[in-house]
Amino acid sequence: MPIRTRFAPSPTGLLHIGGVRTALFSWLYARRHGGVFILRIEDTDRERSTEAATQVILDGMQWLGLGHDEGPFYQTRRMDRYREVLAQFIAAGHAYRCYCTREELEEMRNQQLAVKAKPRYDGTCRNRKEPRPGVDPVVRFKNPIDGAVVVADVIHGNVVFDNAELDDLIIARSDGTPTYNFCVVVDDMDMKVTHVIRGDDHLNNTPRQMNMLRALGASMPVYAHVPMILGADGAKLSKRHGAVSVLQYRDDGYLPEALLNYLVRLGWSHGDQEVFSMEEMQQLFDIGAVNKAASAFNPDKLLWLNQQHIMRAPPERIAEYLKPQLAALGVAATDDRLLVAVAKVMRERGKTLREMAENSLYFFRDFASYDEKSAKKNLTAESVAPLRSVRDKLSALDEWTAAGAHEAVTQAATELGLGMGKVAQPVRVAVAGTAVSPPIDVTLETLGRATTLRRLDDALRYAANS
């Protein structure tokens, strides 16, 4: 049977990095083994599930490049199937209707707590045959009383649960709607899921789900419960640690492969290697090698990895992501050639694509004013001669290239008896508005002849009047 994994988020909040890591591990396992990756939206909580949250999941998975082979499936569209299996459970004696009222259940709980017993349903209606007038019953799964469930977890090893500790779980509410644990079991069976990779907060649900799968005569999937992600302070990851929507990382200028590279290294390693391409992740990732201890989120490490991926990515790919960052800054970058050229010269000058976009604005639009400190130092009366010399030599170039620009600046410095810095820096401030840019020759080549000469003319007027 081919490997079949699934990612099954609930659209009740943001898709954050904990969920993304689970999706990544499931996706990588399927890809490495030539299997099938399923996307399932578990939206049975109708009060909290929203279309907006569902769209964030879909958009986030698309941005990350974690494409699904089947789905997305929606649990709310499978209600007839759940009711069919519920009827089968009741008919076969694997489930029963429970008529205990909320007040009776509360009293049961209080009595158990009074004698320091674990609060649990005591099976009052387990063998009841007659309905109770005026009470809409819930449906409970008749969990085995004896024996134990052994969860052979790929990450945590064998985890044993005594059936005597597992009470009869509600699998349908009094209004007839099925509950989460029941829907998951039916879905995993129907979708022929072979490997369930999910957060370890679901580990306690697993023995009940396994008992229900056995009652259905279904094949048992392999389970792997991934440890949670903590903040640097050891507390559960929250917004203050960076538990934001995955799309926020997109908007902040992270490459999807950088975020995935960071997440795959949370609890898994391959020697001392830190930077992985998507192809390497697919070839090397092993769910069995994931550490069972929780991992700490380190935003500085994520930022470093993002910079590494930006520097290594082809300029065409950087340009693809740079364009919306520029749009967010009010620049409609329509010249693809210029976008790629800027990506090439600026990809080592920013830890995020947003930072790159902010530092690249002078390539796409004229700046309103010079950086005050840079202009005060470099656009003075003394800079008029080198600026004019460079401007004249550049205007005479037959072909506009970095090599030609370099020669023009070098000749101007030689003729004027000045060091390169005394010539290159005034030119840099003239064309970029600041004293920081890529090497002056590639800066001029990227800006183009018309923009460069026009800005040099503006700088000459500014310097002459300073």
Side-chain angles (χ1 to χ4, degrees):
M1 181 180 293
I3 299 295
R4 294 175 63 86
T5 67
R6 46 73 157 182
F7 177 51
S10 297
T12 56
L14 301 177
L15 175 60
H16 53 75
I17 58 173
V20 170
R21 185 178 65 155
T22 300
L24 173 64
F25 285 4
S26 296
W27 186 85
L28 286 175
Y29 193 80
R31 289 291 173 266
R32 179 177 180 181
H33 296 282
V36 175
F37 177 64
I38 302 164
L39 178 60
R40 187 171 77 216
I41 308 297
E42 298 189 337
D43 56 349
T44 53
D45 187 343
R46 297 186 181 184
E47 290 185 3
R48 297 172 59 217
S49 296
T50 67
E51 290 185 11
T54 299
Q55 194 60 50
V56 167
I57 293 170
L58 299 177
D59 291 346
M61 295 292 283
Q62 181 179 24
W63 174 67
L64 292 164
L66 301 181
H68 50 274
D69 305 302
E70 294 181 10
F73 299 105
Y74 296 85
Q75 289 185 329
T76 49
R77 301 176 189 177
R78 288 174 45 80
M79 287 298 163
D80 288 344
R81 173 58 177 157
Y82 302 141
R83 294 188 183 99
E84 178 186 2
V85 179
L86 275 170
Q88 292 174 4
F89 258 23
I90 294 172
H94 296 309
Y96 60 92
R97 295 180 177 87
C98 173
Y99 293 87
C100 294
T101 64
R102 182 171 297 181
E103 293 75 19
E104 289 169 340
L105 293 173
E106 185 63 27
E107 177 60 26
M108 185 187 303
R109 173 184 172 83
N110 291 335
Q111 289 178 4
Q112 290 166 341
L113 289 174
V115 296
K116 294 184 171 51
K118 179 181 177 180
R120 59 199 303 278
Y121 182 65
D122 65 3
T124 296
C125 295
R126 190 176 175 97
N127 298 308
R128 186 186 184 106
K129 303 298 183 185
E130 299 298 323
R132 187 175 179 181
V135 177
D136 293 324
V138 298
V139 177
R140 291 183 182 271
F141 172 65
K142 190 179 285 186
N143 196 78
I145 297 174
D146 303 319
V149 181
V150 180
V151 181
D153 193 273
V154 173
I155 296 173
H156 294 272
N158 288 346
V159 185
V160 181
F161 296 86
D162 290 330
N163 277 320
E165 295 296 315
L166 307 174
D167 58 357
D168 292 348
L169 186 73
I170 295 175
I171 57 176
R173 302 176 185 89
S174 58
D175 63 359
T177 58
T179 60
Y180 163 78
N181 277 291
F182 178 74
C183 295
V184 167
V185 167
V186 177
D187 289 344
D188 286 344
M189 177 183 68
D190 287 354
M191 297 173 191
K192 296 180 173 58
V193 173
T194 63
H195 291 71
V196 173
I197 300 171
R198 59 188 178 187
D200 62 5
D201 53 329
H202 288 283
L203 183 56
N204 287 334
N205 291 328
T206 304
R208 291 186 172 91
Q209 293 176 8
M210 290 175 66
N211 280 337
M212 282 189 271
L213 285 167
R214 287 196 179 97
L216 288 167
S219 299
M220 207 63 59
V222 176
Y223 290 95
H225 288 90
V226 180
M228 67 192 306
I229 303 175
L230 304 176
D233 55 3
K236 184 179 178 180
L237 199 65
S238 64
K239 287 183 179 180
R240 64 190 176 89
H241 298 113
V244 296
S245 166
V246 63
L247 295 181
Q248 187 63 52
Y249 290 99
R250 176 197 65 185
D251 297 343
D252 287 345
Y254 287 84
L255 282 172
E257 54 265 38
L259 179 59
L260 295 175
N261 184 167
Y262 177 73
L263 293 177
V264 82
R265 287 285 288 109
L266 283 182
W268 175 82
S269 62
H270 180 72
D272 296 327
Q273 185 172 345
E274 292 287 353
V275 182
F276 292 84
S277 68
M278 291 302 297
E279 292 74 19
E280 288 174 319
M281 287 188 230
Q282 292 178 55
Q283 293 169 6
L284 300 172
F285 178 75
D286 179 9
I287 190 66
V290 172
N291 196 309
K292 63 182 178 181
S295 301
F297 179 74
N298 184 338
D300 293 333
K301 181 68 173 291
L302 171 58
L303 198 60
W304 176 82
L305 272 173
N306 194 55
Q307 186 176 29
Q308 295 301 310
H309 278 273
I310 288 175
M311 289 191 296
R312 299 175 189 211
E316 292 79 10
R317 180 162 177 79
I318 298 300
E320 174 188 346
Y321 291 103
L322 184 62
K323 191 171 186 176
Q325 292 291 336
L326 289 165
L329 297 172
V331 174
T334 57
D335 186 340
D336 291 340
R337 180 205 60 79
L338 178 58
L339 267 172
V340 172
V342 170
K344 185 175 182 179
V345 301
M346 295 295 288
R347 60 182 171 174
E348 295 187 12
R349 294 176 172 269
K351 294 181 179 180
T352 68
L353 293 159
R354 175 187 284 183
E355 183 182 354
M356 184 190 296
E358 291 170 345
N359 294 338
S360 303
L361 288 175
Y362 61 87
F363 285 110
F364 299 93
R365 69 183 182 196
D366 290 339
F367 39 85
S369 61
Y370 300 107
D371 172 69
E372 184 177 351
K373 184 177 179 181
S374 300
K376 187 175 182 180
K377 181 178 180 180
N378 294 285
L379 298 185
T380 63
E382 289 76 16
S383 64
V384 170
L387 283 172
R388 180 172 290 118
S389 178
V390 172
R391 198 259 182 230
D392 291 343
K393 296 180 188 308
L394 288 173
S395 65
L397 289 176
D398 293 328
E399 186 178 357
W400 191 263
T401 63
H406 180 80
E407 183 65 20
V409 175
T410 302
Q411 284 184 1
T414 300
E415 291 174 6
L416 294 171
L418 297 173
M420 278 291 287
K422 291 291 185 180
V423 178
Q425 278 301 85
V427 173
R428 176 173 281 111
V429 176
V431 299
T434 178
V436 179
S437 83
I440 192 62
D441 50 359
V442 296
T443 298
L444 298 180
E445 179 185 50
T446 305
L447 278 170
R449 183 191 301 268
T451 299
T452 296
L453 297 181
R454 175 168 47 79
R455 290 183 183 177
L456 284 171
D457 288 339
D458 291 342
L460 281 166
R461 286 190 290 270
Y462 180 94
N465 294 325
S466 64

